[in-house]
Amino acid sequence: MSRILMLYASVTGNTEELAVAIAEMLQKYNHEINMKTFDADAIDVEEFNKYDAVLVGTYSWDDGAMPYEVEDFYDELEDVDITGKLVGVFGSGDTFYLETFGGAIELLGERFVELGADVLPDWIKVDLEPDEKDFARCQKFVEELNRKLESMTE
Ligand SMILES: Cc1cc2nc3c(=O)[nH]c(=O)nc-3n(C[C@H](O)[C@H](O)[C@H](O)COP(=O)(O)O)c2cc1C
């Protein structure tokens, strides 16, 4: 069993749907998941040390920008050593926004890579509400995460 921190920002519930689905899939592997939302919970980057993996979900805003409630977290990431930390990013956007579709997910993923984290290769960007295909992709994402977690405990 591994400990996983799941953080997400969601206004209309699409990213939350993904977060809940991913958490349920992970629980089937008996991992312990602590879920927090950026708008309601205190989030301290220092607590990363207590977890084997960190998953971060966000919607995108205004030309692919990071939502306001995620900005402090994004800025504070450089204050902790996350070298080699197992991380995954996901979220909902809107393909209507073309080039800035899922921009905040890109920003987050790039930041984690820059800081040396071990970022899962699939950065899950979903168009509005997740459908069956998106949930199947989440399942693959979870399997990859589980594989990595298992190899860490071997
Ligand atoms: C004012 C405004 C600006 C937005 N800008 C973007 C954007 O640049 N890129 C994008 O992918 N989605 C953009 N969106 C769409 C949201 O990211 C999308 O509706 C998403 O599904 C919301 O996720 P949530 O249900 O988790 O809150 C924008 C939405 C609004 C209302």
Side-chain angles (χ1 to χ4, degrees):
M1 186 199 78
S2 300
R3 297 196 70 209
I4 299 166
L5 177 64
M6 159 92 79
L7 308 172
Y8 69 91
S10 184
V11 173
T12 58
N14 296 333
T15 305
E16 181 165 53
E17 256 192 73
L18 288 170
V20 169
I22 291 170
E24 282 173 0
M25 290 169 192
L26 282 166
Q27 274 156 357
K28 291 201 179 120
Y29 288 103
N30 289 323
H31 297 308
E32 188 187 313
I33 326 287
N34 191 5
M35 288 181 89
K36 293 189 179 193
T37 64
F38 283 101
D39 58 345
D41 300 306
I43 291 168
D44 179 359
V45 288
E46 301 282 344
E47 70 182 324
F48 275 24
N49 299 329
K50 294 192 262 169
Y51 296 91
D52 302 300
V54 179
L55 303 179
V56 187
T58 183
Y59 62 96
S60 296
W61 202 239
D62 208 12
D63 285 335
M66 196 61 66
Y68 172 76
E69 65 274 31
V70 188
E71 277 176 1
D72 283 351
F73 167 81
Y74 180 79
D75 291 340
E76 286 162 13
L77 279 176
E78 64 185 13
D79 299 341
V80 278
D81 181 7
I82 54 166
T83 314
K85 176 65 73 181
L86 188 50
V87 167
V89 292
F90 64 92
S92 172
D94 186 342
T95 49
F96 168 82
Y97 292 93
L98 301 171
E99 299 97 85
T100 65
F101 169 55
I105 300 158
E106 292 291 322
L107 286 172
L108 257 181
E110 282 162 10
R111 180 72 147 181
F112 279 122
V113 167
E114 212 176 87
L115 294 170
D118 179 7
V119 187
L120 291 173
D122 191 9
W123 301 4
I124 299 182
K125 285 202 253 173
V126 166
D127 186 24
L128 298 169
E129 206 177 325
D131 61 18
E132 284 313 306
K133 266 205 329 279
D134 299 317
F135 290 124
R137 193 171 161 192
C138 289
Q139 180 63 42
K140 289 224 153 45
F141 175 89
V142 164
E143 282 164 17
E144 174 66 5
L145 176 61
N146 188 56
R147 198 184 57 72
K148 287 199 171 237
L149 287 167
E150 279 181 351
S151 72
M152 277 161 56
T153 54
E154 269 166 17

